[in-house]
Amino acid sequence: MPQPSKEPCKKEACDIQACLSKNNFLPHKCVRVIQLLQYCCENCNYKSTHCASVSDLLKQMPKPKGQKS
């Protein structure tokens, strides 16, 4: 059984950086990887240094129609 990472969500954070770099730093083009980081952070109760930026990224995302902030 693999041991838990000392730094959870590192892979997801790196994936976001790669996606943003590839897409002129436009967060709306990286929704899927941002959601994966959010899911990872929820699973580790935000106990990762990589989770600090997820809320800022989510604030930059357009809200789906019909959803209130």
Side-chain angles (χ1 to χ4, degrees):
M1 189 161 111
Q3 295 207 343
S5 171
K6 289 181 183 177
E7 195 51 69
C9 307
K10 182 176 181 178
K11 178 196 178 306
E12 291 81 357
C14 290
D15 290 346
I16 288 174
Q17 284 297 87
C19 181
L20 289 172
S21 293
K22 188 171 71 173
N23 290 290
N24 273 343
F25 295 90
L26 298 171
H28 68 275
K29 294 196 175 219
C30 300
V31 174
R32 182 74 183 126
V33 290
I34 293 169
Q35 289 172 335
L36 288 172
L37 176 60
Q38 180 184 18
Y39 180 72
C40 178
C41 291
E42 288 170 358
N43 283 336
C44 75
N45 294 316
Y46 291 84
K47 293 179 181 170
S48 170
T49 58
H50 301 290
C51 296
S53 63
V54 75
S55 62
D56 289 333
L57 283 169
L58 292 170
K59 287 176 192 170
Q60 295 177 37
M61 305 305 301
K63 298 273 185 223
K65 291 184 181 190
Q67 183 180 6
K68 296 181 182 179
S69 21

